[in-house]
Amino acid sequence: MPPIVLPAFLKVVLGAFGAAAALHWAMKEIRRVNDELDRVRAASPAEAGARQALPTLRRDPRTGDWRLR
């Protein structure tokens, strides 16, 4: 089977489409994450208190291990 030869122009066009698709996906992800962060920031204080009641990981200063607090 002979190798498929693509002209340089076609390679550039395909590369540009691939870069545009990757940029589009990255922008959608950035917007999604920012919307989620804005939603958490705008949460009522009651929800923030409930969130603080959940256990979190903290580094133990003496040993350096991560522990639930």
Side-chain angles (χ1 to χ4, degrees):
M1 176 181 267
I4 298 173
V5 179
L6 296 176
F9 176 73
L10 187 57
K11 290 179 186 179
V12 170
V13 169
L14 290 176
F17 278 129
L23 182 63
H24 179 73
W25 173 80
M27 290 302 296
K28 279 178 50 175
E29 284 297 306
I30 289 169
R31 287 186 185 118
R32 182 187 62 81
V33 169
N34 282 335
D35 289 344
E36 189 173 329
L37 287 173
D38 290 342
R39 185 177 46 84
V40 170
R41 285 186 191 125
S44 68
E47 291 176 10
R51 192 171 58 244
Q52 289 176 352
L54 295 173
T56 58
L57 285 174
R58 304 275 188 222
R59 188 179 288 274
D60 186 1
R62 288 182 291 128
T63 63
D65 292 338
W66 289 91
R67 301 188 188 279
L68 281 176
R69 291 190 185 184

